[in-house]
Amino acid sequence: MTTEHPAGAMTAREFYSGLPKAHLHVHLEAAMRESTLRQWCSDDGIAVPPLVSYPDFTRFLAAYGVLIGLLRTPERVARLLDEVMADAAAQGVVALEFASIPEKAAAFGSAEDALEFILPTAIEAGRRHGVWTGAIVSIDRGAGPEHALEAARLAARFADRGVVAVGLVADERGNPVADAAGAFAIAREAGLGVVPHAGELAGPEEVRAALELGVDRIQHGVRAVEDPRVLELLAERGTCLDVCPTSNVVLDVYPSLEEHPLPRLLEAGVRCSINADDPLLFGADVVDEYVLAEERTGVPREVLTRCARTSIEASFAPEEVKSRTLAG
Ligand code: ADE
Ligand code: ZN
């Protein structure tokens, strides 16, 4: 009898698909399946946006904008959520924290209406596929201080209905994390987590500034490697970085996966989770990210298994989900 792989020769993809993990840094619209993207673009008579190659961050955001524009009916949003949860389950994701900018959801009359629909639909889709899920309300750092406060107040109103945290997205350069201090205070007051993007397009000073604001986790944060004191602070506090290696290469933060600082962050004792950020736009899902981290950045499998454990521990999933998964 022949089998596809001899006993004991499980592929890396099989190993990491079976490893229970939390996916903590993923933007909802960019977790769309490529087949769904192509179908909707064809139905709407628009060009498929570029995938995986962006001359600059602005062009990346433009591709992202096309995805947002496709979500113009509640039916499409519901289908997206169902497919995202089904794919997460197939990737061994037991807890999924998806980021979304509710006021950009064109299918709904208001940001409030968007969350009224997205949250229960996501939770129900997660239940169908066996995935716990929570939403991160993204603050668009380019949209000004009023927007930041408004987004935080909105998130706060949904704190007991599926929103777990506020995030901070788009271009860091010229939009420092400290500008969102007031918004973060509102979120914290409502019992929400705070998980900004920092130390991606800007340097380690932004990671330090985020730490000074008392954030729960940092999305990316990788450029902390440029300052040993910031690395030390991260390790000391145990703040988790939600790292996305492929994203950092596609968006030119690092020239290649081989030069990605993930091994150095882990060696410095920084807690890291492994994530896909925008899987459709970067061409790698969360399982690919683990495989690439092993094969291209050279982090050993035992250490990546620890990253999966960290992802569960650092998530906002209920204790009962965490302890059940960690016990396994
Ligand atoms: N929004 C989606 N992906 C992002 C990234 N990598 N950086 C900042 N904002 C984003
Ligand atoms: Zn991101």
Side-chain angles (χ1 to χ4, degrees):
M1 195 180 93
T2 56
T3 53
E4 220 179 329
H5 303 290
M10 180 190 265
T11 66
R13 174 127 196 131
E14 285 164 347
F15 175 78
Y16 288 112
S17 298
L19 182 66
K21 62 186 77 59
H23 198 184
L24 304 179
H25 182 172
V26 59
H27 301 269
L28 176 65
E29 302 81 3
M32 188 183 291
R33 290 179 183 167
E34 188 172 338
S35 53
T36 301
L37 166 75
R38 291 190 183 282
Q39 186 193 329
W40 287 344
C41 283
S42 155
D43 292 349
D44 291 2
I46 63 166
V48 175
L51 304 176
V52 188
S53 171
Y54 310 98
D56 52 44
F57 192 72
T58 308
R59 245 88 52 106
F60 159 71
L61 286 184
Y64 196 91
V66 174
L67 306 182
I68 290 176
L70 287 171
L71 294 169
R72 54 181 181 69
T73 66
E75 291 71 26
R76 284 191 178 181
V77 175
R79 171 170 161 187
L80 171 71
L81 287 165
D82 184 71
E83 291 178 353
V84 166
M85 298 302 157
D87 293 348
Q91 293 158 8
V93 172
V94 298
L96 175 69
E97 294 178 15
F98 65 88
S100 166
I101 311 186
E103 77 272 11
K104 293 208 175 154
F108 309 97
S110 67
E112 192 101 24
D113 288 351
L115 283 184
E116 296 275 6
F117 181 86
I118 291 170
L119 296 171
T121 307
I123 291 166
E124 182 46 38
R127 204 169 285 141
R128 274 198 304 281
H129 297 289
V131 177
W132 172 86
T133 193
I136 298 171
V137 169
S138 296
I139 296 168
D140 180 347
R141 62 202 321 154
E146 228 3 89
H147 154 81
L149 296 173
E150 211 27 70
R153 288 188 202 110
L154 172 75
R157 290 199 290 281
F158 287 88
D160 56 356
R161 282 187 277 166
V163 172
V164 293
V166 294
L168 185 64
V169 300
D171 199 334
E172 274 181 88
R173 295 162 295 192
N175 297 299
V177 69
D179 286 358
F184 291 173
I186 291 171
R188 203 168 282 303
E189 180 74 15
L192 293 173
V194 175
V195 295
H197 285 52
E200 177 201 23
L201 303 177
E205 66 286 355
E206 279 297 291
V207 175
R208 180 189 286 281
L211 289 172
E212 279 165 6
L213 294 173
V215 300
D216 295 281
R217 303 191 312 257
I218 296 175
Q219 311 235 287
H220 297 297
V222 287
R223 290 190 56 195
V225 281
E226 295 166 33
D227 185 337
R229 286 159 307 175
V230 176
L231 270 187
E232 223 170 88
L233 201 56
L234 277 169
E236 220 174 82
R237 297 216 185 159
T239 308
C240 177
L241 301 185
D242 300 326
V243 175
C244 313
T246 300
S247 162
N248 296 153
V249 174
V250 173
L251 293 179
D252 234 10
V253 180
Y254 299 105
S256 69
L257 285 169
E258 285 73 11
E259 288 153 279
H260 193 276
L262 177 64
R264 280 178 286 151
L265 292 165
L266 291 165
E267 276 155 26
V270 177
R271 299 169 79 217
C272 295
S273 67
I274 307 292
N275 308 271
D277 203 2
D278 300 294
L280 173 63
L281 297 177
F282 301 142
D285 66 26
V286 68
V287 174
D288 294 327
E289 294 289 355
Y290 277 86
V291 173
L292 291 166
E294 179 179 308
E295 294 178 353
R296 306 272 305 277
T297 76
V299 177
R301 190 166 288 193
E302 329 59 277
V303 178
L304 288 165
T305 301
R306 188 149 37 81
C307 292
R309 175 171 275 273
T310 299
S311 70
I312 306 280
E313 289 167 348
S315 85
F316 296 109
E319 279 313 314
E320 157 290 290
V321 172
K322 293 187 186 192
S323 53
R324 183 173 8 105
T325 310
L326 292 171

